[in-house]
Amino acid sequence: MSSQKGNSSRSRPQKHKNSVAFRNDKYGATIQVKIANSKIHNGLCQRCKDVLEWKVKYNKYKSLTQAKKCVKCFQKNVKDAYHIMCKPCSIQLELCAKCGNKEEIVIPINPEVEEEGEQGEEGDKKKRLRKRKDLEDDDDDLSDFGSEDDDDDDDDDGDDEDSDSRPRKTLNKLPVLPDISGATIKD
């Protein structure tokens, strides 16, 4: 029996063999799988790097949704899944960011690349906010086209000053409900 304690030798080959290897993106990769496949595991020892690569290969890698607390500086700076230390502490103390042991780092963390990446992320956020503001401004301009309250007639009695001081219309304004306070209900 192969599960017998101390019996490490086996006389027969494996009974059920896979004909093709497992692929985590076989039926179309999701966004999380694409991110996990493209991730570079730097700042880790060889064993931790192999563990994370196995998790990615067999679709077991789950990325973080929120930053974790570093065990050295106690700040919420850990942005990589399965890591216990932030990258600055890992660089400064020359420790593996996942297991915390003083092992040889296979792929060292390049601090200049990390700073550029953070600046790029901040730039992307600013671009998204700018686009969102532009879209809101365009929506405000478009909402004025079909309104019946336009004061384009010049026969008003000086109401032109009031039209400029009115607040702009927004899209998320609730519809006006009729006043039913004077209505009577018959049974």
Side-chain angles (χ1 to χ4, degrees):
M1 204 194 244
S2 64
S3 62
Q4 186 179 6
K5 203 173 204 180
N7 187 9
S8 61
S9 62
R10 185 180 217 178
S11 59
R12 64 174 178 80
Q14 183 176 344
K15 191 176 249 183
H16 302 285
K17 294 181 181 177
N18 293 334
S19 57
V20 291
F22 178 80
R23 284 182 36 217
N24 61 3
D25 58 350
K26 183 176 181 180
Y27 298 108
T30 62
I31 296 170
Q32 290 89 357
V33 170
K34 287 180 183 177
I35 291 171
N37 284 338
S38 66
K39 182 131 181 76
I40 298 171
H41 302 289
N42 54 1
L44 302 173
C45 62
Q46 183 63 46
R47 182 178 182 280
C48 294
K49 183 176 177 289
D50 292 340
V51 167
L52 289 183
E53 286 175 351
W54 181 90
K55 283 181 181 283
V56 169
K57 182 178 179 181
Y58 293 106
N59 215 10
K60 302 294 181 185
Y61 185 87
K62 304 294 180 226
S63 58
L64 282 180
T65 56
Q66 293 181 348
K68 283 178 25 180
K69 193 181 284 188
C70 175
V71 297
K72 298 296 180 183
C73 65
F74 302 108
Q75 301 292 319
K76 279 198 159 187
N77 292 341
V78 181
K79 295 177 178 68
D80 294 323
Y82 307 103
H83 288 213
I84 60 169
M85 272 189 281
C86 60
K87 292 188 179 188
C89 290
S90 176
I91 294 170
Q92 184 180 15
L93 301 171
E94 297 176 359
L95 299 174
C96 174
K98 184 176 179 291
C99 64
N101 295 335
K102 195 163 183 77
E103 300 283 333
E104 182 183 349
I105 305 300
V106 180
I107 304 173
I109 301 171
N110 192 354
E112 291 111 19
V113 173
E114 294 299 322
E115 290 173 4
E116 290 175 8
E118 290 174 4
Q119 290 174 355
E121 290 174 5
E122 291 174 5
D124 292 341
K125 287 180 183 177
K126 288 179 182 177
K127 286 180 184 178
R128 278 189 247 126
L129 285 173
R130 195 176 314 126
K131 281 184 179 179
R132 188 179 301 155
K133 287 180 182 178
D134 290 343
L135 288 174
E136 287 174 0
D137 290 342
D138 291 344
D139 290 343
D140 288 343
D141 294 342
L142 293 175
S143 65
D144 290 338
F145 280 124
S147 66
E148 298 173 5
D149 298 335
D150 290 340
D151 291 331
D152 293 337
D153 300 334
D154 291 327
D155 55 304
D156 291 337
D157 297 330
D159 289 339
D160 292 333
E161 297 89 27
D162 295 338
S163 65
D164 293 338
S165 63
R166 276 191 272 154
R168 292 186 121 177
K169 294 180 182 178
T170 59
L171 290 177
N172 54 2
K173 188 175 179 182
L174 297 174
V176 179
L177 298 174
D179 185 22
I180 58 168
S181 60
T184 58
I185 300 173
K186 294 182 182 178
D187 288 334

